Amino acid sequence: MKAVAKQAEDNDCLLAESNPCFEVWLILHYGKIQDYKGLAGDVEIGGCNSAIRFLKQRLDTKYHKTRYDAETYVTEIERAIANARAGDSNPNSPLLDQVGSRVYKLAQSIIDSSPNHTLN
């Protein structure tokens, strides 16, 4: 990942990392990682399988990695951005050093560049 982060930086691109997997970003649509007691530790130990299991058992029982209802998540994008930003203890670091997601940076960039977006 360090090489990918360096290449992204060298090419003036954002890297939308989720640690350890994309499902962490989906969990953030429901709440902060810190709000789910023990989740961060479980995910650090069990990796992506723990994140997927938590998502399926506690938040989105119909979740399937290759077939899920994206609309469910799109409607909560602002919450996910806020939750991910709040959990990013070092947003200027090239890589995450804790369970979390930087997909919020990509999502916010897309929102900001939308012709329908109005500045607050």
Side-chain angles (χ1 to χ4, degrees), residues 1-23:
M1 273 309 276
K2 288 181 183 181
V4 172
K6 176 74 172 122
Q7 186 176 12
E9 182 181 350
D10 291 349
N11 289 289
D12 201 25
C13 295
L14 291 175
L15 179 65
E17 175 193 18
S18 282
N19 184 21
C21 57
F22 182 71
E23 282 75 12

Side-chain angles (χ1 to χ4, degrees), residues 109-119:
S109 175
I110 292 168
I111 291 168
D112 291 347
S113 66
S114 168
N116 298 328
H117 177 69
T118 57
L119 297 174

Side-chain angles (χ1 to χ4, degrees), residues 3 5 8 12 14 24 28 33 39 41 43 46 48 59 63 77-78 81 89 91 94 97 101 112 116:
D12 201 25
L14 291 175
V24 170
L28 289 163
I33 298 296
L39 177 61
V43 171
C48 196
L59 305 173
Y63 176 77
I77 195 73
E78 295 291 340
I81 290 170
S89 62
D97 57 2
S101 180
D112 291 347
N116 298 328

